[in-house]
Amino acid sequence: MSAEVTVPAETARPARRRTTTFGLSWRILGLVIVAVMTAEVAIFLPSIARFRLVYLEQLIESGTLAALALDATPDNMVTEQVKASLLAHARVEAVVLLEPNKPKRALMNIEPRPEMQGFNLKDSGALGLILDALEAMARDGSHLIRVGGESVRLPGAMVWIVLDEQPMRAAMYGYTSRILILSIIVALFTASLLYLALRWLVVRPLQDLSTAMVAFRRAPEEGGTERAPVRRNDEIGVVDREFQILQRELRASLRQKSRLAEVGAATNKINHDLRNMLSTARLLSDRLARSDDERTRALAPTILNTIDRAARLASDAIEYVREKPSPRLAEVDLADLVDEVGIALQEQGEDKDPNLLRSWANEIGDGGIVRCDRDLLYRVFINLGRNAFEAGATTVTIRTRRSGGFLLIEVADNGPGVPAAVARQLFRPFTTGGRQGGTGLGLAIARDLVRLHGGDITLLESNAQGTLFGFTLPIA
């Protein structure tokens, strides 16, 4: 059987997986770049607002200097040529200086108009500055605005300027392009460092681990795919070591199961021939029982019992290794089924020893309707009852009680009980429970049949007064 899952050693050898185009490494790199660029955008918004604020404050300062030039003239008046030169150097179209207890000073190429959009830097908050900056960048062409603020040179004075927003917008776009280039450089540099670190610490170990898993899946029973133990003490190191332990244990278990399967297949063939031989031996033993020799007739029952036990062992072994059937579920009257099992067990007892007393007590009563496979459940009761009687019990009692959506079925006997050393492995194959002549497969078969119905069977109690088994079945 193991030959069916064995692959050549060349195929089982793991080959290092190279990073694919959209592998984990590249996804991490892309996510890091996106994360850094998102952070840069979050930083850019207050930065561009700050750039616009500083730009306007510088214009207010230059406009203030232009307005103070009027103080150098006797009548606070300048020629048109001088005014145009002062405003050009200040990069504004108009400036008005309002200082307490002093006359208003103004230089204007363009008269301020009410329809001009106005901004007072003294009253602007952080969110307002960000929205104003984004609004300015979204506009196109020439756009005159009025801006007011305080001058550093003249504390307490209020300065209003009129300017065309287009030069400021060009400066903001230039600042944005520089920020974008810097952000891309920072994102690529940061992403590269994180990519290399994560690839070394996470991706490469995971690739090695996945390669080992694939190789193990392709040839779970073959050796040669083991790797050297890792020395890391972090989570990846723990996963790697636990996988290697699981790999060794599972490989050993698979090899053992393969050997058992081969033994089972061979046993199945041997049992088939053995049963034919035992059938012939039983026919000859029946002739011995009718012999005229008294000593020969006395030995015949012993020979027949030995042949029966051998035949039962062969039948149980075939039954155990046979593929488990799929239950054909239907509503079954449990009380009627238990009565039928009791009749069969009592007939078997009479065939073995007419003087042997066997009591089969059915305490289920009405309402014991379960959804199960009648034939499979019949075999469960037969195995439990036969084991109890062969262990020395004279009375077996069947009773039920509800437990949620299941029916708990209890099988109690008055036998000598199960030894404590045997109880721990009672449902393992070939565990006889301490009695002579048993095959050790009855309880293992019963457990498999109960589990096919979605339930389970357990040893609830065992002492010198008797043994109690319990198993569950879904209520119809």
Side-chain angles (χ1 to χ4, degrees):
M1 181 175 180
S2 60
E4 298 177 1
V5 296
T6 302
V7 297
E10 292 79 9
T11 306
R13 291 287 182 182
R16 181 176 296 276
R17 287 181 58 187
R18 298 299 179 185
T19 305
T20 57
T21 305
F22 299 102
L24 182 60
S25 300
W26 292 104
R27 293 181 184 181
I28 291 176
L29 180 61
L31 287 175
V32 171
I33 292 176
V34 171
V36 173
M37 293 302 294
T38 303
E40 291 290 344
V41 169
I43 296 173
F44 167 76
L45 293 177
S47 298
I48 194 65
R50 178 66 181 171
F51 178 86
R52 176 178 175 272
L53 177 63
V54 172
Y55 187 94
L56 294 176
E57 287 176 345
Q58 290 175 351
L59 292 183
I60 288 176
E61 293 299 325
S62 61
T64 302
L65 289 175
L68 289 176
L70 295 175
D71 294 340
T73 62
D75 54 358
N76 290 336
M77 297 290 290
V78 295
T79 63
E80 290 295 325
Q81 183 179 0
V82 173
K83 180 183 70 173
S85 178
L86 289 173
L87 292 176
H89 282 85
R91 295 176 296 165
V92 296
E93 297 297 332
V95 56
V96 177
L97 175 60
L98 302 176
E99 194 174 4
N101 303 321
K102 288 187 178 182
K104 180 177 71 172
R105 283 156 283 185
L107 294 172
M108 290 182 286
N109 285 334
I110 299 175
E111 290 284 342
R113 297 186 298 272
E115 63 270 16
M116 289 182 181
Q117 189 175 12
F119 301 96
N120 191 342
L121 301 184
K122 292 176 58 177
D123 301 332
S124 298
L127 181 59
L129 289 172
I130 292 175
L131 294 176
D132 292 340
L134 295 178
E135 183 182 0
M137 294 184 69
R139 280 191 286 267
D140 190 18
S142 178
H143 182 71
L144 295 175
I145 60 174
R146 294 182 300 114
V147 180
E150 292 184 343
S151 172
V152 177
R153 291 178 174 82
L154 298 174
M158 188 66 183
V159 182
W160 286 90
I161 59 174
V162 176
L163 68 143
D164 188 354
E165 200 178 54
Q166 188 170 8
M168 181 184 68
R169 189 184 309 121
M172 293 174 69
Y173 278 124
Y175 175 78
T176 301
S177 63
R178 294 192 297 272
I179 289 293
L180 178 60
I181 294 173
L182 180 62
S183 300
I184 293 175
I185 294 174
V186 171
L188 291 177
F189 180 74
T190 305
S192 299
L193 290 181
L194 288 176
Y195 169 80
L196 294 175
L198 290 175
R199 180 168 177 78
W200 178 54
L201 293 174
V202 178
V203 176
R204 289 292 293 275
L206 288 179
Q207 287 179 340
D208 293 340
L209 187 59
S210 63
T211 301
M213 288 181 176
V214 171
F216 179 69
R217 177 184 60 81
R218 291 175 177 172
E221 298 183 35
E222 293 297 321
T225 60
E226 296 84 358
R227 298 178 297 119
V230 296
R231 298 181 180 179
R232 298 175 57 164
N233 295 321
D234 56 8
E235 290 79 0
I236 292 181
V238 172
V239 171
D240 194 292
R241 285 191 293 273
E242 290 299 322
F243 170 69
Q244 292 189 36
I245 294 173
L246 176 64
Q247 189 177 11
R248 289 193 296 269
E249 293 178 351
L250 187 57
R251 179 173 286 119
S253 177
L254 289 174
R255 289 173 179 171
Q256 182 181 14
K257 287 184 179 297
S258 295
R259 288 194 294 269
L260 289 176
E262 293 173 354
V263 172
T267 303
N268 197 6
K269 298 176 181 178
I270 294 173
N271 281 340
H272 181 270
D273 295 336
L274 180 60
R275 292 177 67 185
N276 293 333
M277 297 176 188
L278 291 175
S279 298
T280 303
R282 184 175 180 82
L283 293 175
L284 296 176
S285 298
D286 290 338
R287 295 183 182 180
L288 292 177
R290 296 189 297 271
S291 174
D292 296 333
D293 187 0
E294 182 178 352
R295 294 181 61 185
T296 301
R297 291 197 305 272
L299 292 175
T302 302
I303 297 174
L304 288 174
N305 289 336
T306 302
I307 293 174
D308 287 340
R309 285 196 298 270
R312 185 188 303 171
L313 174 60
S315 298
D316 288 348
I318 292 175
E319 188 65 38
Y320 182 74
V321 300
R322 183 180 298 168
E323 184 178 357
K324 301 301 182 291
S326 298
R328 293 173 293 181
L329 302 180
E331 292 187 2
V332 174
D333 186 345
L334 194 59
D336 180 66
L337 175 61
V338 170
D339 285 338
E340 182 179 343
V341 173
I343 294 173
L345 289 174
Q346 288 173 348
E347 289 178 353
Q348 291 178 10
E350 291 177 358
D351 290 342
K352 183 176 182 181
D353 186 354
N355 298 320
L356 184 64
L357 178 63
R358 287 185 174 185
S359 175
W360 181 263
N362 183 355
E363 297 182 1
I364 294 178
D366 298 332
I369 304 299
V370 293
R371 186 169 180 79
C372 65
D373 187 313
R374 197 178 194 281
D375 294 337
L376 299 184
L377 192 58
Y378 178 91
R379 288 161 54 190
V380 173
F381 281 113
I382 282 288
N383 283 329
L384 292 174
R386 187 174 62 194
N387 280 359
F389 286 130
E390 290 183 354
T394 58
T395 301
V396 177
T397 303
I398 313 297
R399 51 181 178 263
T400 60
R401 56 187 174 90
R402 291 177 178 266
S403 178
F406 290 86
L407 190 67
L408 176 61
I409 303 170
E410 296 180 347
V411 181
D413 66 61
N414 63 345
V418 179
V422 178
R424 291 189 295 270
Q425 53 184 0
L426 190 60
F427 293 96
R428 293 182 180 179
F430 305 107
T431 300
T432 61
R435 60 187 174 86
Q436 298 294 328
T439 64
L441 290 172
L443 289 178
I445 294 173
R447 181 191 60 181
D448 290 343
L449 297 178
V450 171
R451 287 181 175 178
L452 286 174
H453 290 83
D456 204 355
I457 185 170
T458 56
L459 175 64
L460 300 177
E461 184 180 350
S462 182
N463 50 45
Q465 285 71 44
T467 302
L468 176 62
F469 288 94
F471 63 93
T472 55
L473 289 175
I475 299 175

